PDB file of all heavy atoms in Angstrom:
ATOM      1  N   MET E 370       0.855  -1.292  -0.025  1.00  0.00           N
ATOM      2  CA  MET E 370       0.063  -0.084   0.023  1.00  0.00           C
ATOM      3  C   MET E 370       0.872   1.281   0.049  1.00  0.00           C
ATOM      4  O   MET E 370       0.616   2.152  -0.749  1.00  0.00           O
ATOM      5  CB  MET E 370      -0.918  -0.025   1.222  1.00  0.00           C
ATOM      6  CG  MET E 370      -2.055  -1.067   1.150  1.00  0.00           C
ATOM      7  SD  MET E 370      -3.246  -0.993   2.416  1.00  0.00           S
ATOM      8  CE  MET E 370      -2.367  -1.497   3.842  1.00  0.00           C
ATOM      9  N   ALA E 371       1.890   1.271   0.868  1.00  0.00           N
ATOM     10  CA  ALA E 371       2.709   2.423   0.967  1.00  0.00           C
ATOM     11  C   ALA E 371       3.591   2.569  -0.376  1.00  0.00           C
ATOM     12  O   ALA E 371       3.777   3.691  -0.781  1.00  0.00           O
ATOM     13  CB  ALA E 371       3.709   2.343   2.130  1.00  0.00           C
ATOM     14  N   GLY E 372       3.961   1.431  -0.898  1.00  0.00           N
ATOM     15  CA  GLY E 372       4.874   1.541  -2.093  1.00  0.00           C
ATOM     16  C   GLY E 372       4.105   2.009  -3.275  1.00  0.00           C
ATOM     17  O   GLY E 372       4.634   2.857  -4.070  1.00  0.00           O
ATOM     18  N   ILE E 373       2.838   1.771  -3.433  1.00  0.00           N
ATOM     19  CA  ILE E 373       1.973   2.305  -4.508  1.00  0.00           C
ATOM     20  C   ILE E 373       1.981   3.805  -4.390  1.00  0.00           C
ATOM     21  O   ILE E 373       2.109   4.573  -5.356  1.00  0.00           O
ATOM     22  CB  ILE E 373       0.605   1.642  -4.527  1.00  0.00           C
ATOM     23  CG1 ILE E 373       0.730   0.261  -5.034  1.00  0.00           C
ATOM     24  CG2 ILE E 373      -0.380   2.465  -5.402  1.00  0.00           C
ATOM     25  CD1 ILE E 373      -0.555  -0.614  -4.818  1.00  0.00           C
ATOM     26  N   TYR E 374       1.626   4.306  -3.159  1.00  0.00           N
ATOM     27  CA  TYR E 374       1.521   5.733  -2.944  1.00  0.00           C
ATOM     28  C   TYR E 374       2.826   6.451  -3.033  1.00  0.00           C
ATOM     29  O   TYR E 374       2.936   7.552  -3.528  1.00  0.00           O
ATOM     30  CB  TYR E 374       0.807   6.013  -1.560  1.00  0.00           C
ATOM     31  CG  TYR E 374      -0.699   5.981  -1.626  1.00  0.00           C
ATOM     32  CD1 TYR E 374      -1.404   4.808  -1.569  1.00  0.00           C
ATOM     33  CD2 TYR E 374      -1.387   7.178  -1.793  1.00  0.00           C
ATOM     34  CE1 TYR E 374      -2.748   4.806  -1.671  1.00  0.00           C
ATOM     35  CE2 TYR E 374      -2.727   7.211  -1.890  1.00  0.00           C
ATOM     36  CZ  TYR E 374      -3.448   6.021  -1.799  1.00  0.00           C
ATOM     37  OH  TYR E 374      -4.825   6.016  -1.917  1.00  0.00           O
ATOM     38  N   ARG E 375       3.896   5.806  -2.666  1.00  0.00           N
ATOM     39  CA  ARG E 375       5.238   6.420  -2.718  1.00  0.00           C
ATOM     40  C   ARG E 375       5.652   6.576  -4.175  1.00  0.00           C
ATOM     41  O   ARG E 375       6.297   7.576  -4.545  1.00  0.00           O
ATOM     42  CB  ARG E 375       6.234   5.499  -1.975  1.00  0.00           C
ATOM     43  CG  ARG E 375       7.422   6.209  -1.575  1.00  0.00           C
ATOM     44  CD  ARG E 375       8.398   5.237  -0.772  1.00  0.00           C
ATOM     45  NE  ARG E 375       9.403   5.975  -0.066  1.00  0.00           N
ATOM     46  CZ  ARG E 375      10.428   5.325   0.595  1.00  0.00           C
ATOM     47  NH1 ARG E 375      10.450   4.005   0.539  1.00  0.00           N
ATOM     48  NH2 ARG E 375      11.389   6.071   1.181  1.00  0.00           N
ATOM     49  N   ARG E 376       5.365   5.548  -4.971  1.00  0.00           N
ATOM     50  CA  ARG E 376       5.623   5.725  -6.490  1.00  0.00           C
ATOM     51  C   ARG E 376       4.716   6.899  -7.081  1.00  0.00           C
ATOM     52  O   ARG E 376       5.192   7.552  -7.962  1.00  0.00           O
ATOM     53  CB  ARG E 376       5.378   4.356  -7.173  1.00  0.00           C
ATOM     54  CG  ARG E 376       6.439   3.387  -6.780  1.00  0.00           C
ATOM     55  CD  ARG E 376       6.269   2.086  -7.509  1.00  0.00           C
ATOM     56  NE  ARG E 376       6.511   2.124  -8.945  1.00  0.00           N
ATOM     57  CZ  ARG E 376       7.775   1.998  -9.502  1.00  0.00           C
ATOM     58  NH1 ARG E 376       8.764   1.761  -8.681  1.00  0.00           N
ATOM     59  NH2 ARG E 376       7.922   2.128 -10.822  1.00  0.00           N
ATOM     60  N   LEU E 377       3.541   6.903  -6.608  1.00  0.00           N
ATOM     61  CA  LEU E 377       2.678   7.972  -7.043  1.00  0.00           C
ATOM     62  C   LEU E 377       3.336   9.364  -6.736  1.00  0.00           C
ATOM     63  O   LEU E 377       3.343  10.301  -7.523  1.00  0.00           O
ATOM     64  CB  LEU E 377       1.257   7.824  -6.415  1.00  0.00           C
ATOM     65  CG  LEU E 377       0.252   8.882  -6.787  1.00  0.00           C
ATOM     66  CD1 LEU E 377      -0.002   8.876  -8.307  1.00  0.00           C
ATOM     67  CD2 LEU E 377      -1.028   8.625  -6.015  1.00  0.00           C
ATOM     68  N   LEU E 378       3.728   9.422  -5.505  1.00  0.00           N
ATOM     69  CA  LEU E 378       4.469  10.720  -5.034  1.00  0.00           C
ATOM     70  C   LEU E 378       5.644  10.974  -5.823  1.00  0.00           C
ATOM     71  O   LEU E 378       5.862  12.158  -6.320  1.00  0.00           O
ATOM     72  CB  LEU E 378       4.809  10.588  -3.575  1.00  0.00           C
ATOM     73  CG  LEU E 378       5.485  11.876  -3.005  1.00  0.00           C
ATOM     74  CD1 LEU E 378       4.511  13.054  -2.881  1.00  0.00           C
ATOM     75  CD2 LEU E 378       6.071  11.525  -1.640  1.00  0.00           C
ATOM     76  N   ALA E 379       6.406  10.038  -6.218  1.00  0.00           N
ATOM     77  CA  ALA E 379       7.562  10.208  -7.021  1.00  0.00           C
ATOM     78  C   ALA E 379       7.224  10.777  -8.412  1.00  0.00           C
ATOM     79  O   ALA E 379       7.922  11.642  -9.001  1.00  0.00           O
ATOM     80  CB  ALA E 379       8.362   8.920  -7.159  1.00  0.00           C
ATOM     81  N   ARG E 380       6.093  10.229  -8.949  1.00  0.00           N
ATOM     82  CA  ARG E 380       5.649  10.672 -10.229  1.00  0.00           C
ATOM     83  C   ARG E 380       5.178  12.165 -10.139  1.00  0.00           C
ATOM     84  O   ARG E 380       5.496  12.892 -11.097  1.00  0.00           O
ATOM     85  CB  ARG E 380       4.446   9.740 -10.668  1.00  0.00           C
ATOM     86  CG  ARG E 380       4.042   9.984 -12.100  1.00  0.00           C
ATOM     87  CD  ARG E 380       3.299   8.839 -12.642  1.00  0.00           C
ATOM     88  NE  ARG E 380       4.073   7.602 -12.674  1.00  0.00           N
ATOM     89  CZ  ARG E 380       3.608   6.500 -13.236  1.00  0.00           C
ATOM     90  NH1 ARG E 380       2.454   6.334 -13.698  1.00  0.00           N
ATOM     91  NH2 ARG E 380       4.475   5.450 -13.297  1.00  0.00           N
ATOM     92  N   ILE E 381       4.545  12.515  -8.987  1.00  0.00           N
ATOM     93  CA  ILE E 381       4.140  13.950  -8.946  1.00  0.00           C
ATOM     94  C   ILE E 381       5.307  14.795  -8.802  1.00  0.00           C
ATOM     95  O   ILE E 381       5.442  15.933  -9.407  1.00  0.00           O
ATOM     96  CB  ILE E 381       3.161  14.022  -7.681  1.00  0.00           C
ATOM     97  CG1 ILE E 381       1.811  13.330  -7.981  1.00  0.00           C
ATOM     98  CG2 ILE E 381       2.879  15.506  -7.309  1.00  0.00           C
ATOM     99  CD1 ILE E 381       0.887  13.160  -6.719  1.00  0.00           C
ATOM    100  N   ALA E 382       6.284  14.442  -8.022  1.00  0.00           N
ATOM    101  CA  ALA E 382       7.530  15.238  -7.781  1.00  0.00           C
ATOM    102  C   ALA E 382       8.290  15.456  -9.142  1.00  0.00           C
ATOM    103  O   ALA E 382       8.803  16.522  -9.324  1.00  0.00           O
ATOM    104  CB  ALA E 382       8.456  14.606  -6.734  1.00  0.00           C
ATOM    105  N   ALA E 383       8.271  14.376  -9.933  1.00  0.00           N
ATOM    106  CA  ALA E 383       8.957  14.523 -11.207  1.00  0.00           C
ATOM    107  C   ALA E 383       8.300  15.387 -12.247  1.00  0.00           C
ATOM    108  O   ALA E 383       8.973  16.090 -13.043  1.00  0.00           O
ATOM    109  CB  ALA E 383       9.088  13.106 -11.841  1.00  0.00           C
ATOM    110  N   ASP E 384       6.946  15.511 -12.113  1.00  0.00           N
ATOM    111  CA  ASP E 384       6.108  16.369 -13.069  1.00  0.00           C
ATOM    112  C   ASP E 384       5.066  17.019 -12.315  1.00  0.00           C
ATOM    113  O   ASP E 384       3.902  16.642 -12.394  1.00  0.00           O
ATOM    114  CB  ASP E 384       5.614  15.455 -14.209  1.00  0.00           C
ATOM    115  CG  ASP E 384       4.880  16.321 -15.171  1.00  0.00           C
ATOM    116  OD1 ASP E 384       4.940  17.563 -15.166  1.00  0.00           O
ATOM    117  OD2 ASP E 384       4.169  15.770 -16.079  1.00  0.00           O
ATOM    118  N   PRO E 385       5.338  18.054 -11.496  1.00  0.00           N
ATOM    119  CA  PRO E 385       4.416  18.678 -10.556  1.00  0.00           C
ATOM    120  C   PRO E 385       3.181  19.165 -11.258  1.00  0.00           C
ATOM    121  O   PRO E 385       2.073  19.119 -10.783  1.00  0.00           O
ATOM    122  CB  PRO E 385       5.182  19.798  -9.898  1.00  0.00           C
ATOM    123  CG  PRO E 385       6.571  19.375  -9.940  1.00  0.00           C
ATOM    124  CD  PRO E 385       6.758  18.608 -11.283  1.00  0.00           C
ATOM    125  N   LEU E 386       3.364  19.643 -12.478  1.00  0.00           N
ATOM    126  CA  LEU E 386       2.166  20.323 -13.203  1.00  0.00           C
ATOM    127  C   LEU E 386       1.129  19.216 -13.630  1.00  0.00           C
ATOM    128  O   LEU E 386       0.090  19.525 -14.059  1.00  0.00           O
ATOM    129  CB  LEU E 386       2.670  21.058 -14.390  1.00  0.00           C
ATOM    130  CG  LEU E 386       3.388  22.354 -14.052  1.00  0.00           C
ATOM    131  CD1 LEU E 386       3.724  23.149 -15.324  1.00  0.00           C
ATOM    132  CD2 LEU E 386       2.528  23.246 -13.050  1.00  0.00           C
ATOM    133  N   ALA E 387       1.611  17.915 -13.586  1.00  0.00           N
ATOM    134  CA  ALA E 387       0.614  16.869 -13.904  1.00  0.00           C
ATOM    135  C   ALA E 387      -0.599  16.878 -13.106  1.00  0.00           C
ATOM    136  O   ALA E 387      -1.656  16.591 -13.575  1.00  0.00           O
ATOM    137  CB  ALA E 387       1.265  15.544 -13.921  1.00  0.00           C
ATOM    138  N   VAL E 388      -0.494  17.278 -11.840  1.00  0.00           N
ATOM    139  CA  VAL E 388      -1.634  17.316 -11.009  1.00  0.00           C
ATOM    140  C   VAL E 388      -2.636  18.334 -11.327  1.00  0.00           C
ATOM    141  O   VAL E 388      -3.784  18.402 -10.947  1.00  0.00           O
ATOM    142  CB  VAL E 388      -1.224  17.486  -9.435  1.00  0.00           C
ATOM    143  CG1 VAL E 388      -0.331  16.296  -9.076  1.00  0.00           C
ATOM    144  CG2 VAL E 388      -0.567  18.752  -9.201  1.00  0.00           C
ATOM    145  N   THR E 389      -2.225  19.349 -12.198  1.00  0.00           N
ATOM    146  CA  THR E 389      -3.096  20.422 -12.633  1.00  0.00           C
ATOM    147  C   THR E 389      -3.950  19.938 -13.844  1.00  0.00           C
ATOM    148  O   THR E 389      -4.800  20.665 -14.250  1.00  0.00           O
ATOM    149  CB  THR E 389      -2.320  21.716 -12.914  1.00  0.00           C
ATOM    150  OG1 THR E 389      -1.571  21.524 -14.090  1.00  0.00           O
ATOM    151  CG2 THR E 389      -1.465  22.103 -11.776  1.00  0.00           C
ATOM    152  N   HIS E 390      -3.534  18.890 -14.408  1.00  0.00           N
ATOM    153  CA  HIS E 390      -4.181  18.425 -15.710  1.00  0.00           C
ATOM    154  C   HIS E 390      -5.211  17.281 -15.436  1.00  0.00           C
ATOM    155  O   HIS E 390      -5.969  16.925 -16.372  1.00  0.00           O
ATOM    156  CB  HIS E 390      -3.212  18.021 -16.749  1.00  0.00           C
ATOM    157  CG  HIS E 390      -2.164  19.042 -16.995  1.00  0.00           C
ATOM    158  ND1 HIS E 390      -2.481  20.332 -17.263  1.00  0.00           N
ATOM    159  CD2 HIS E 390      -0.813  18.979 -17.091  1.00  0.00           C
ATOM    160  CE1 HIS E 390      -1.365  21.047 -17.492  1.00  0.00           C
ATOM    161  NE2 HIS E 390      -0.338  20.221 -17.382  1.00  0.00           N
ATOM    162  N   GLY E 391      -5.198  16.660 -14.378  1.00  0.00           N
ATOM    163  CA  GLY E 391      -5.997  15.525 -14.031  1.00  0.00           C
ATOM    164  C   GLY E 391      -5.399  14.680 -12.947  1.00  0.00           C
ATOM    165  O   GLY E 391      -4.358  14.905 -12.489  1.00  0.00           O
ATOM    166  N   ARG E 392      -6.158  13.668 -12.520  1.00  0.00           N
ATOM    167  CA  ARG E 392      -5.719  12.829 -11.381  1.00  0.00           C
ATOM    168  C   ARG E 392      -4.496  11.909 -11.839  1.00  0.00           C
ATOM    169  O   ARG E 392      -4.705  11.181 -12.830  1.00  0.00           O
ATOM    170  CB  ARG E 392      -6.802  11.926 -10.878  1.00  0.00           C
ATOM    171  CG  ARG E 392      -6.329  11.017  -9.777  1.00  0.00           C
ATOM    172  CD  ARG E 392      -7.544  10.283  -9.110  1.00  0.00           C
ATOM    173  NE  ARG E 392      -8.190  11.092  -8.162  1.00  0.00           N
ATOM    174  CZ  ARG E 392      -8.883  10.574  -7.115  1.00  0.00           C
ATOM    175  NH1 ARG E 392      -8.966   9.250  -7.006  1.00  0.00           N
ATOM    176  NH2 ARG E 392      -9.566  11.404  -6.337  1.00  0.00           N
ATOM    177  N   VAL E 393      -3.388  12.094 -11.189  1.00  0.00           N
ATOM    178  CA  VAL E 393      -2.235  11.197 -11.469  1.00  0.00           C
ATOM    179  C   VAL E 393      -2.492   9.889 -10.850  1.00  0.00           C
ATOM    180  O   VAL E 393      -2.833   9.808  -9.739  1.00  0.00           O
ATOM    181  CB  VAL E 393      -0.976  11.800 -10.901  1.00  0.00           C
ATOM    182  CG1 VAL E 393       0.225  10.962 -11.202  1.00  0.00           C
ATOM    183  CG2 VAL E 393      -0.760  13.291 -11.544  1.00  0.00           C
ATOM    184  N   SER E 394      -2.214   8.811 -11.579  1.00  0.00           N
ATOM    185  CA  SER E 394      -2.351   7.462 -11.031  1.00  0.00           C
ATOM    186  C   SER E 394      -1.402   6.504 -11.616  1.00  0.00           C
ATOM    187  O   SER E 394      -0.708   6.823 -12.613  1.00  0.00           O
ATOM    188  CB  SER E 394      -3.852   6.891 -11.342  1.00  0.00           C
ATOM    189  OG  SER E 394      -4.007   6.838 -12.732  1.00  0.00           O
ATOM    190  N   LEU E 395      -1.333   5.339 -11.045  1.00  0.00           N
ATOM    191  CA  LEU E 395      -0.419   4.260 -11.536  1.00  0.00           C
ATOM    192  C   LEU E 395      -1.266   3.215 -12.248  1.00  0.00           C
ATOM    193  O   LEU E 395      -2.393   2.950 -11.919  1.00  0.00           O
ATOM    194  CB  LEU E 395       0.330   3.570 -10.430  1.00  0.00           C
ATOM    195  CG  LEU E 395       1.213   4.442  -9.506  1.00  0.00           C
ATOM    196  CD1 LEU E 395       1.891   3.438  -8.521  1.00  0.00           C
ATOM    197  CD2 LEU E 395       2.221   5.212 -10.332  1.00  0.00           C
ATOM    198  N   PRO E 396      -0.772   2.656 -13.377  1.00  0.00           N
ATOM    199  CA  PRO E 396      -1.494   1.694 -14.096  1.00  0.00           C
ATOM    200  C   PRO E 396      -1.612   0.328 -13.240  1.00  0.00           C
ATOM    201  O   PRO E 396      -0.703   0.164 -12.276  1.00  0.00           O
ATOM    202  CB  PRO E 396      -0.716   1.389 -15.373  1.00  0.00           C
ATOM    203  CG  PRO E 396       0.657   1.858 -15.014  1.00  0.00           C
ATOM    204  CD  PRO E 396       0.497   2.966 -14.078  1.00  0.00           C
ATOM    205  N   GLY E 397      -2.623  -0.419 -13.442  1.00  0.00           N
ATOM    206  CA  GLY E 397      -2.803  -1.623 -12.649  1.00  0.00           C
ATOM    207  C   GLY E 397      -1.556  -2.567 -12.568  1.00  0.00           C
ATOM    208  O   GLY E 397      -1.264  -3.115 -11.566  1.00  0.00           O
ATOM    209  N   ARG E 398      -0.980  -2.733 -13.722  1.00  0.00           N
ATOM    210  CA  ARG E 398       0.203  -3.603 -13.889  1.00  0.00           C
ATOM    211  C   ARG E 398       1.342  -3.191 -12.890  1.00  0.00           C
ATOM    212  O   ARG E 398       2.034  -3.963 -12.341  1.00  0.00           O
ATOM    213  CB  ARG E 398       0.646  -3.819 -15.271  1.00  0.00           C
ATOM    214  CG  ARG E 398       1.176  -2.513 -15.921  1.00  0.00           C
ATOM    215  CD  ARG E 398       1.594  -2.806 -17.326  1.00  0.00           C
ATOM    216  NE  ARG E 398       2.050  -1.597 -17.948  1.00  0.00           N
ATOM    217  CZ  ARG E 398       1.294  -0.613 -18.544  1.00  0.00           C
ATOM    218  NH1 ARG E 398      -0.015  -0.709 -18.568  1.00  0.00           N
ATOM    219  NH2 ARG E 398       1.851   0.475 -19.050  1.00  0.00           N
ATOM    220  N   GLU E 399       1.420  -1.868 -12.805  1.00  0.00           N
ATOM    221  CA  GLU E 399       2.521  -1.311 -11.902  1.00  0.00           C
ATOM    222  C   GLU E 399       2.134  -1.478 -10.428  1.00  0.00           C
ATOM    223  O   GLU E 399       3.079  -1.860  -9.609  1.00  0.00           O
ATOM    224  CB  GLU E 399       2.775   0.157 -12.231  1.00  0.00           C
ATOM    225  CG  GLU E 399       3.952   0.742 -11.481  1.00  0.00           C
ATOM    226  CD  GLU E 399       4.357   2.184 -11.912  1.00  0.00           C
ATOM    227  OE1 GLU E 399       3.751   2.644 -12.921  1.00  0.00           O
ATOM    228  OE2 GLU E 399       5.234   2.774 -11.199  1.00  0.00           O
ATOM    229  N   LYS E 400       0.869  -1.399 -10.105  1.00  0.00           N
ATOM    230  CA  LYS E 400       0.483  -1.680  -8.787  1.00  0.00           C
ATOM    231  C   LYS E 400       0.752  -3.050  -8.411  1.00  0.00           C
ATOM    232  O   LYS E 400       1.171  -3.435  -7.292  1.00  0.00           O
ATOM    233  CB  LYS E 400      -0.994  -1.226  -8.544  1.00  0.00           C
ATOM    234  CG  LYS E 400      -1.349   0.185  -8.719  1.00  0.00           C
ATOM    235  CD  LYS E 400      -2.807   0.411  -8.658  1.00  0.00           C
ATOM    236  CE  LYS E 400      -3.191   1.864  -8.876  1.00  0.00           C
ATOM    237  NZ  LYS E 400      -4.638   2.115  -8.928  1.00  0.00           N
ATOM    238  N   ALA E 401       0.370  -4.030  -9.294  1.00  0.00           N
ATOM    239  CA  ALA E 401       0.570  -5.406  -9.078  1.00  0.00           C
ATOM    240  C   ALA E 401       2.094  -5.725  -8.888  1.00  0.00           C
ATOM    241  O   ALA E 401       2.434  -6.499  -8.112  1.00  0.00           O
ATOM    242  CB  ALA E 401      -0.104  -6.267 -10.157  1.00  0.00           C
ATOM    243  N   TRP E 402       2.885  -5.037  -9.702  1.00  0.00           N
ATOM    244  CA  TRP E 402       4.374  -5.238  -9.634  1.00  0.00           C
ATOM    245  C   TRP E 402       4.811  -4.780  -8.197  1.00  0.00           C
ATOM    246  O   TRP E 402       5.644  -5.521  -7.630  1.00  0.00           O
ATOM    247  CB  TRP E 402       5.009  -4.439 -10.709  1.00  0.00           C
ATOM    248  CG  TRP E 402       6.497  -4.540 -10.726  1.00  0.00           C
ATOM    249  CD1 TRP E 402       7.337  -5.571 -11.144  1.00  0.00           C
ATOM    250  CD2 TRP E 402       7.404  -3.526 -10.161  1.00  0.00           C
ATOM    251  NE1 TRP E 402       8.686  -5.255 -11.050  1.00  0.00           N
ATOM    252  CE2 TRP E 402       8.748  -3.956 -10.369  1.00  0.00           C
ATOM    253  CE3 TRP E 402       7.185  -2.304  -9.547  1.00  0.00           C
ATOM    254  CZ2 TRP E 402       9.812  -3.225  -9.970  1.00  0.00           C
ATOM    255  CZ3 TRP E 402       8.390  -1.530  -9.159  1.00  0.00           C
ATOM    256  CH2 TRP E 402       9.635  -1.980  -9.331  1.00  0.00           C
ATOM    257  N   VAL E 403       4.357  -3.645  -7.700  1.00  0.00           N
ATOM    258  CA  VAL E 403       4.781  -3.253  -6.288  1.00  0.00           C
ATOM    259  C   VAL E 403       4.399  -4.195  -5.285  1.00  0.00           C
ATOM    260  O   VAL E 403       5.039  -4.558  -4.420  1.00  0.00           O
ATOM    261  CB  VAL E 403       4.158  -1.815  -6.081  1.00  0.00           C
ATOM    262  CG1 VAL E 403       4.405  -1.426  -4.685  1.00  0.00           C
ATOM    263  CG2 VAL E 403       4.689  -0.775  -7.048  1.00  0.00           C
ATOM    264  N   ALA E 404       3.086  -4.763  -5.473  1.00  0.00           N
ATOM    265  CA  ALA E 404       2.616  -5.602  -4.495  1.00  0.00           C
ATOM    266  C   ALA E 404       3.472  -6.972  -4.532  1.00  0.00           C
ATOM    267  O   ALA E 404       3.728  -7.498  -3.445  1.00  0.00           O
ATOM    268  CB  ALA E 404       1.058  -6.025  -4.791  1.00  0.00           C
ATOM    269  N   ALA E 405       3.816  -7.430  -5.635  1.00  0.00           N
ATOM    270  CA  ALA E 405       4.557  -8.615  -5.776  1.00  0.00           C
ATOM    271  C   ALA E 405       5.895  -8.464  -5.118  1.00  0.00           C
ATOM    272  O   ALA E 405       6.453  -9.336  -4.425  1.00  0.00           O
ATOM    273  CB  ALA E 405       4.765  -9.012  -7.234  1.00  0.00           C
ATOM    274  N   ARG E 406       6.580  -7.271  -5.387  1.00  0.00           N
ATOM    275  CA  ARG E 406       7.867  -7.024  -4.701  1.00  0.00           C
ATOM    276  C   ARG E 406       7.740  -6.939  -3.226  1.00  0.00           C
ATOM    277  O   ARG E 406       8.697  -7.404  -2.474  1.00  0.00           O
ATOM    278  CB  ARG E 406       8.507  -5.724  -5.273  1.00  0.00           C
ATOM    279  CG  ARG E 406       8.939  -5.840  -6.717  1.00  0.00           C
ATOM    280  CD  ARG E 406       9.361  -4.547  -7.294  1.00  0.00           C
ATOM    281  NE  ARG E 406      10.464  -3.874  -6.572  1.00  0.00           N
ATOM    282  CZ  ARG E 406      11.739  -4.156  -6.668  1.00  0.00           C
ATOM    283  NH1 ARG E 406      12.118  -5.062  -7.523  1.00  0.00           N
ATOM    284  NH2 ARG E 406      12.724  -3.463  -5.986  1.00  0.00           N
ATOM    285  N   ALA E 407       6.681  -6.328  -2.741  1.00  0.00           N
ATOM    286  CA  ALA E 407       6.417  -6.288  -1.283  1.00  0.00           C
ATOM    287  C   ALA E 407       6.340  -7.696  -0.705  1.00  0.00           C
ATOM    288  O   ALA E 407       6.867  -7.935   0.413  1.00  0.00           O
ATOM    289  CB  ALA E 407       5.152  -5.496  -1.057  1.00  0.00           C
ATOM    290  N   LEU E 408       5.704  -8.566  -1.385  1.00  0.00           N
ATOM    291  CA  LEU E 408       5.557  -9.954  -0.896  1.00  0.00           C
ATOM    292  C   LEU E 408       6.902 -10.637  -0.672  1.00  0.00           C
ATOM    293  O   LEU E 408       7.034 -11.476   0.278  1.00  0.00           O
ATOM    294  CB  LEU E 408       4.694 -10.736  -1.791  1.00  0.00           C
ATOM    295  CG  LEU E 408       4.163 -12.098  -1.287  1.00  0.00           C
ATOM    296  CD1 LEU E 408       3.361 -11.910   0.132  1.00  0.00           C
ATOM    297  CD2 LEU E 408       3.241 -12.793  -2.238  1.00  0.00           C
ATOM    298  N   VAL E 409       7.894 -10.312  -1.433  1.00  0.00           N
ATOM    299  CA  VAL E 409       9.268 -10.881  -1.269  1.00  0.00           C
ATOM    300  C   VAL E 409      10.232 -10.049  -0.555  1.00  0.00           C
ATOM    301  O   VAL E 409      11.410 -10.179  -0.529  1.00  0.00           O
ATOM    302  CB  VAL E 409       9.827 -11.311  -2.622  1.00  0.00           C
ATOM    303  CG1 VAL E 409       9.004 -12.363  -3.344  1.00  0.00           C
ATOM    304  CG2 VAL E 409       9.979 -10.070  -3.581  1.00  0.00           C
ATOM    305  N   GLY E 410       9.603  -8.939   0.041  1.00  0.00           N
ATOM    306  CA  GLY E 410      10.351  -8.170   0.960  1.00  0.00           C
ATOM    307  C   GLY E 410      11.193  -7.003   0.326  1.00  0.00           C
ATOM    308  O   GLY E 410      12.097  -6.375   0.933  1.00  0.00           O
ATOM    309  N   ARG E 411      10.746  -6.593  -0.894  1.00  0.00           N
ATOM    310  CA  ARG E 411      11.420  -5.488  -1.690  1.00  0.00           C
ATOM    311  C   ARG E 411      10.512  -4.334  -1.600  1.00  0.00           C
ATOM    312  O   ARG E 411       9.380  -4.343  -1.982  1.00  0.00           O
ATOM    313  CB  ARG E 411      11.711  -5.853  -3.111  1.00  0.00           C
ATOM    314  CG  ARG E 411      12.455  -7.128  -3.307  1.00  0.00           C
ATOM    315  CD  ARG E 411      14.002  -6.847  -2.857  1.00  0.00           C
ATOM    316  NE  ARG E 411      14.598  -5.957  -3.719  1.00  0.00           N
ATOM    317  CZ  ARG E 411      15.218  -6.250  -4.824  1.00  0.00           C
ATOM    318  NH1 ARG E 411      15.198  -7.402  -5.336  1.00  0.00           N
ATOM    319  NH2 ARG E 411      15.757  -5.180  -5.545  1.00  0.00           N
ATOM    320  N   THR E 412      11.062  -3.194  -1.002  1.00  0.00           N
ATOM    321  CA  THR E 412      10.296  -1.941  -0.818  1.00  0.00           C
ATOM    322  C   THR E 412      10.705  -0.769  -1.802  1.00  0.00           C
ATOM    323  O   THR E 412      10.121   0.254  -1.656  1.00  0.00           O
ATOM    324  CB  THR E 412      10.236  -1.459   0.621  1.00  0.00           C
ATOM    325  OG1 THR E 412      11.644  -1.194   0.972  1.00  0.00           O
ATOM    326  CG2 THR E 412       9.748  -2.481   1.494  1.00  0.00           C
ATOM    327  N   ARG E 413      11.762  -1.087  -2.592  1.00  0.00           N
ATOM    328  CA  ARG E 413      12.168  -0.017  -3.479  1.00  0.00           C
ATOM    329  C   ARG E 413      12.046  -0.441  -4.916  1.00  0.00           C
ATOM    330  O   ARG E 413      12.192  -1.612  -5.197  1.00  0.00           O
ATOM    331  CB  ARG E 413      13.659   0.317  -3.229  1.00  0.00           C
ATOM    332  CG  ARG E 413      13.874   0.952  -1.840  1.00  0.00           C
ATOM    333  CD  ARG E 413      13.545   2.492  -1.903  1.00  0.00           C
ATOM    334  NE  ARG E 413      13.924   3.119  -0.655  1.00  0.00           N
ATOM    335  CZ  ARG E 413      13.892   4.447  -0.523  1.00  0.00           C
ATOM    336  NH1 ARG E 413      13.512   5.198  -1.500  1.00  0.00           N
ATOM    337  NH2 ARG E 413      14.174   4.991   0.599  1.00  0.00           N
TER     338      ARG E 413
END
């Protein structure tokens, strides 16, 4: 859960004006990838 939001934050920091054009989000496959890494103890 934290990893998904942390990657979302990194995306916002990289392109701050993106938040002025619409809701910034991660694709489902990227969220699933973060969850899979979390299950094996990888948080970065």
Side-chain angles (χ1 to χ4, degrees):
M370 292 189 289
I373 288 169
Y374 274 85
R375 203 178 193 187
R376 290 179 71 84
L377 179 62
L378 180 69
R380 188 162 295 186
I381 291 170
D384 183 10
L386 292 182
V388 300
T389 69
H390 305 313
R392 174 173 283 205
V393 179
S394 63
L395 302 183
R398 63 182 180 278
E399 187 171 352
K400 295 176 185 178
W402 178 81
V403 172
R406 286 173 61 82
L408 192 57
V409 296
R411 301 291 297 273
T412 60
R413 292 279 186 176

